[in-house]
Amino acid sequence: TKTFFGTINFRIFIAVFITTFIITLSSSLYQLYRSNIAFDHFLSRQELEMNDAGFMRLGLGMERMMRLEMLNDDFRRTIVINTFISTLIGAIAAVGSALYTSKTITDPLSKMEKGIQNVIENRYRGRLEIEGPYEVQELIKRFNQLLDELDNIEAMRAELVSDITHELRTPLTKIQGQLE
């Protein structure tokens, strides 16, 4: 009784998801950090420009200064929202890549498990399709070779039983004839 959380599929999914998500989150946070630095630099340059035109600054009025502050706040909020959106998109991409990677590796292994169950039940006919990563392909090739060898052994056993039956039938028929 295996649980989903104990499977290799889940472990691969978690490993790929965490790795991809950490990279995406780091990238988004770095983008946020650099955007804030660039915006602070922009504001300080704007402040310098306004200081150089001091008489104009006095003429801006309080209403215009408040509008500039609102624009600055809107800009920062937009940066944060875009960072959140890029992190969300990265999380979705992390889930997709994790699902794809885990399925690519574990699907052929699941098929191989079914093939082994067939061998346990003395059904050697089906060969597995070679798919998946290189190591899994090599494992499937070896499994198919094992099935070929089991088929050969089963054919030799059937031939041996047939030969023994034939060889025993002749003397037994003679003995039976003499007894009659």
Side-chain angles (χ1 to χ4, degrees), residues 39 42-43 46 50 61-79 81:
F39 188 64
F42 166 75
L43 289 178
Q46 184 181 24
M50 291 186 139
M62 232 16 198
E63 184 180 318
R64 183 134 191 238
M65 288 297 283
M66 293 209 28
R67 282 197 338 238
L68 281 175
E69 279 300 317
M70 286 175 41
L71 285 174
N72 292 343
D73 290 343
D74 284 346
F75 182 76
R76 285 187 190 271
R77 194 174 18 260
T78 301
I79 289 173
I81 289 171

Side-chain angles (χ1 to χ4, degrees), residues 47-59:
E47 189 70 33
L48 280 175
E49 289 291 327
M50 291 186 139
N51 283 341
D52 287 346
F55 66 91
M56 291 177 71
R57 182 183 170 106
L58 293 175

Side-chain angles (χ1 to χ4, degrees), residues 33-46:
Y33 171 74
R34 291 300 297 166
S35 296
N36 275 324
I37 287 175
F39 188 64
D40 287 341
H41 183 68
F42 166 75
L43 289 178
S44 66
R45 290 183 71 198
Q46 184 181 24

Side-chain angles (χ1 to χ4, degrees), residues 10-28 87 90-99 101:
F10 180 74
R11 291 176 184 172
I12 291 170
F13 172 82
I14 290 298
V16 172
F17 173 78
I18 289 173
T19 303
T20 308
F21 187 73
I22 287 173
I23 290 169
T24 302
L25 184 63
S26 301
S27 173
S28 296
T87 303
I92 292 169
V95 167
S97 66
L99 283 173
T101 303

